[in-house]
Amino acid sequence: MPAAPEPLRVVFDTKVLISAFFLHGETGDLWEHVEAGTISLTVSPFILGEFAGVLKRGFNLPAHTVDQLVDEVLAHATLLTPSTRISIVKGKEADNRIPECAVDAGVTVLVTGDLKHLRPLGTCRGVAILTPAEFRRLHLQGA
């Protein structure tokens, strides 16, 4: 019996993480791959902090629900505090924290919903920056 393929190592930005929990379709399907172990997800304290903040402010969720969702992410992801500093995102300095996580984690792909600041970069230090649809088409066909 052939060995199972290695999981794809990725970072999801906050928009993709939010969409994975609250939208169906391609992005929700990405979370199913995380849960199934075909995607190995890495997150940083910055990404988790943004995730929690959007859940509280944008979705007006109670603190205990936010904590449960953060715990769900942590149950399926590797938490990494990046030491690399990157300054490639010009319009929004805080967005540099996301490629920093991807580079330090040594992932293949950073999956982003940020079409203004992150996706136009295309790559960062060897990490492809793709939308969820691009990632799915290129890496999950038939999965």
Side-chain angles (χ1 to χ4, degrees):
M1 181 184 294
E6 288 289 316
L8 296 164
R9 297 179 60 223
V10 303
V11 165
F12 291 166
D13 74 1
T14 307
K15 287 182 181 187
V16 173
L17 210 48
I18 292 287
S19 296
F21 281 92
F22 293 100
L23 300 177
H24 300 287
E26 286 182 343
T27 311
D29 183 56
L30 292 181
W31 186 253
E32 291 173 16
H33 283 279
V34 171
E35 290 178 319
T38 55
I39 291 176
S40 174
L41 181 66
T42 299
V43 295
S44 67
F46 175 83
I47 293 169
L48 284 178
E50 268 197 340
F51 178 67
V54 170
L55 293 174
K56 288 175 191 170
R57 291 183 308 278
F59 289 84
N60 202 26
L61 294 177
H64 72 277
T65 302
V66 172
D67 291 345
Q68 288 174 334
L69 290 169
V70 167
D71 288 346
E72 177 73 10
V73 171
L74 288 171
H76 292 93
T78 300
L79 180 62
L80 170 81
T81 301
S83 60
T84 297
R85 286 290 159 232
I86 292 175
S87 185
I88 60 170
V89 179
K90 301 303 178 202
K92 190 175 173 192
E93 171 57 29
D95 280 352
N96 285 298
R97 306 301 75 85
I98 297 166
E100 289 170 356
C101 178
V103 167
D104 271 14
V107 300
T108 306
V109 179
L110 163 56
V111 184
T112 185
D114 183 341
L115 302 180
K116 184 175 181 182
H117 298 111
L118 291 175
R119 176 59 189 101
L121 299 171
T123 63
C124 176
R125 298 189 189 176
V127 176
I129 302 173
L130 303 173
T131 66
E134 292 167 331
F135 175 72
R136 186 150 183 32
R137 186 179 72 251
L138 293 170
H139 295 282
L140 296 176
Q141 291 293 3

